[in-house]
Amino acid sequence: MALIVQKYGGTSVGSAERIHKVADRVIHARNQGHDVVVVVSAMSGETNRLVALAKAVADPPKAREFDVLLATGEQVTIGLLAIALEAKGCPARSYTGAQVHILTDSAFNKARILEIDDQRMRSDLQAGRVVVVAGFQGVDAEGSITTLGRGGSDTTAVALAAALKADECQIFTDVDGVYTTDPRIVPQARRLDKVTFEEMLELASLGAKVLQIRSVEFAGKYNVPLRVLSSFDDTYTNTGTLITAEDESTMEQALISGIAFNRDEAKLTLLGVPDQPGIARDILGPVADANIEVDMIIQNIGADGTTDFTFTVHRNDYAKTLEILQTVKAQLKAREISGDNKIVKVSLVGVGMRSHAGIASTMFRALAAESINIKMISTSEIKISVVVDEKYLELAVRALHTAFDLDQVATAA
Ligand code: ADP
Ligand code: ASP
Ligand code: MG
């Protein structure tokens, strides 16, 4: 007998019929002798609807009150799932984040979990009940409702699994595992049987939205065995993708594990700034002061006492960053600002990169063969990212997928 935390995402609980399917799967796990804690997201589209509703009233909405509204989506689903379980004769209790004391900090809209009190859940499990917990939400020390950022139900599930020392945390979604890239963009993408926490963290950070970044951080930190599976597999036999610590003997020995992409990027360049100490601070200081996160940064080699400085930000912050740069330009007597918010970042990820040279040149050759111009490059130990025009996103991902032999091997009919 094991203790399992199962999480179901928006599409998996998107209708009354889907709620019944989830209830059936939970009962199946119970019939196999497991204790089950279930975390659910809001029904698909619901959180987007609530965001739009709040913004129609005030933009930006007051952060604390915005969270009160956003958290309602998950409260609907816990109620529905517990009703379905009880109707099928399976004892169940639903709880909001606050009711199971998911204590967070007070950073509304992006709160971090600090502590979970597992007592109530444990006594329910002991009494033979399924525990159904609302994902994406918690409560701060003042008793205010908080939410954990978009996709945050993944993090609720992993945090509960860590607190309960669960045997496995299963993330049920609308694809049957983690793929070499988003299978909606590249149909030939291949499902990975295993991927390391480190690779999954890079993939998530670089744009693969299959798991929230924080959930992977949490799983790595507390060594929670994490599995991504499909809730649409009615045979219950699918084993999905296991995310686990690196293990030389069993990990797939691919050079590249996956390709991630991020459409939310924008790039800004300040041309002709004085090439002198403190210039990066003078440019990026005011950007940071405005709470704008900077991703990639490139400074050219100086010539004639001046240099060019380029960086990327989230596309939503593009207009605000341009405004800030106008002031900086005047202060530094820079020559010109140029900007582009129609760019994307495409990244190769793989622990195999550590021990192999030549990955970058294969990448650049594959992109050149498709006449895709690279605008920026950044590398780290297990990833290489390039910035290209938005219009080349799909072509670039597909070309790299083929160049690194990630395409599915066709099986004979
Ligand atoms: P949920 O609502 O269940 O949390 P999400 O939409 O957050 O589901 O995440 C699942 C989606 O992630 C898939 O439908 C898929 O399009 C996308 N995705 C992006 N990259 C990958 C990848 N490498 N492997 C699998 N899915 C991916
Ligand atoms: N419902 C929230 C969202 O749409 C949390 C989640 O689904 O994980 O972002
Ligand atoms: Mg999600």
Side-chain angles (χ1 to χ4, degrees):
M1 187 177 108
L3 170 54
I4 296 174
V5 175
Q6 297 189 331
K7 176 258 172 178
Y8 294 89
T11 321
S12 304
V13 293
S15 64
E17 191 208 336
R18 293 298 321 159
I19 295 271
H20 274 292
K21 294 263 189 200
V22 168
D24 291 341
R25 187 181 295 277
V26 171
I27 291 169
H28 174 76
R30 286 244 313 167
N31 289 344
Q32 293 193 313
H34 305 312
D35 280 339
V36 189
V37 172
V38 190
V39 173
V40 282
S41 293
M43 295 169 95
S44 55
E46 179 60 10
T47 309
N48 287 346
R49 188 185 73 85
L50 294 169
V51 169
L53 198 55
K55 292 194 171 168
V57 173
D59 197 4
K62 176 89 179 163
R64 179 187 183 279
E65 310 314 323
F66 193 26
D67 275 356
V68 171
L69 176 72
L70 290 186
T72 61
E74 272 70 11
Q75 190 167 340
V76 170
T77 351
I78 53 166
L80 287 175
L81 181 59
I83 289 169
L85 286 165
E86 287 281 353
K88 290 174 193 281
C90 173
R93 286 244 171 111
S94 64
Y95 297 108
T96 63
Q99 286 177 307
V100 284
H101 308 290
I102 299 181
L103 181 72
T104 71
D105 61 19
S106 302
F108 296 109
N109 307 308
K110 48 175 186 298
R112 280 183 180 269
I113 297 176
L114 303 174
E115 211 178 275
I116 294 176
D117 176 4
D118 61 0
Q119 240 176 4
R120 193 167 203 168
M121 291 183 281
R122 283 203 189 277
S123 57
D124 274 322
L125 292 173
Q126 256 155 32
R129 288 188 281 262
V130 169
V131 178
V132 183
V133 180
F136 177 57
Q137 55 176 266
V139 62
D140 73 1
E142 317 262 275
S144 296
I145 293 172
T146 55
T147 66
L148 310 179
R150 297 306 303 268
S153 299
D154 298 333
T155 302
T156 305
V158 175
L160 288 183
L164 291 162
K165 301 190 177 53
D167 296 280
E168 191 163 285
C169 180
Q170 304 176 337
I171 306 287
F172 284 95
T173 183
D174 54 7
V175 286
D176 64 353
V178 178
Y179 277 69
T180 46
T181 192
D182 190 338
R184 294 183 203 288
I185 296 282
V186 180
Q188 304 92 304
R190 199 156 34 85
R191 187 177 56 77
L192 299 164
D193 285 334
K194 282 189 179 183
V195 63
T196 65
F197 287 124
E198 201 184 1
E199 288 170 315
M200 193 61 235
L201 192 58
E202 284 286 0
L203 287 170
S205 309
L206 295 166
K209 296 201 168 100
V210 59
L211 286 173
Q212 200 200 31
I213 302 168
R214 280 188 191 166
S215 72
V216 187
E217 273 170 5
F218 225 103
K221 186 164 165 197
Y222 295 98
N223 218 352
V224 177
L226 186 61
R227 196 181 285 279
V228 176
L229 304 130
S230 168
S231 69
F232 289 78
D233 159 43
D234 290 334
T235 66
Y236 302 158
T237 53
N238 167 317
T239 52
T241 300
L242 184 66
I243 296 128
T244 149
E246 195 167 345
D247 169 359
E248 296 278 322
S249 59
T250 57
M251 293 307 294
E252 288 173 54
Q253 289 298 319
L255 281 186
I256 301 299
S257 296
I259 303 173
F261 50 84
N262 185 352
R263 303 173 197 266
D264 296 328
E265 301 259 333
K267 157 170 108 61
L268 298 107
T269 304
L270 202 51
L271 295 130
V273 290
D275 188 15
Q276 65 195 30
I279 209 70
R281 177 207 55 206
D282 293 343
I283 298 171
L284 297 180
V287 176
D289 291 344
N291 260 330
I292 295 171
E293 260 183 59
V294 170
D295 181 15
M296 293 163 93
I297 304 169
I298 290 179
Q299 186 181 332
N300 273 357
I301 291 187
D304 307 327
T306 69
T307 184
D308 303 333
F309 197 93
T310 304
F311 59 97
T312 62
V313 296
H314 193 285
R315 232 179 247 197
N316 291 347
D317 293 324
Y318 180 64
K320 201 165 160 197
T321 313
L322 264 183
E323 238 174 70
I324 294 169
L325 281 195
Q326 295 295 352
T327 315
V328 175
K329 177 183 168 233
Q331 276 165 0
L332 298 178
K333 300 193 173 49
R335 195 171 69 242
E336 198 185 327
I337 300 170
S338 87
D340 187 351
N341 63 353
K342 298 236 170 335
I343 55 152
V344 290
K345 183 170 73 173
V346 178
S347 311
L348 293 180
V349 173
V351 287
M353 262 185 228
R354 282 200 191 110
S355 48
H356 285 84
I359 306 248
S361 60
T362 307
M363 180 183 203
F364 303 151
R365 207 177 312 125
L367 295 172
E370 299 293 346
S371 304
I372 299 172
N373 189 31
I374 300 172
K375 292 168 177 275
M376 293 173 86
I377 301 170
S378 108
T379 63
S380 75
E381 212 190 3
I382 66 162
K383 71 123 208 278
I384 306 177
S385 301
V386 295
V387 166
V388 300
D389 265 338
E390 176 183 82
K391 64 176 186 248
Y392 294 129
L393 171 69
E394 297 191 5
L395 181 61
V397 175
R398 281 170 205 226
L400 293 173
H401 203 266
T402 306
F404 285 95
D405 288 332
L406 296 175
D407 291 353
Q408 248 176 49
V409 184
T411 44

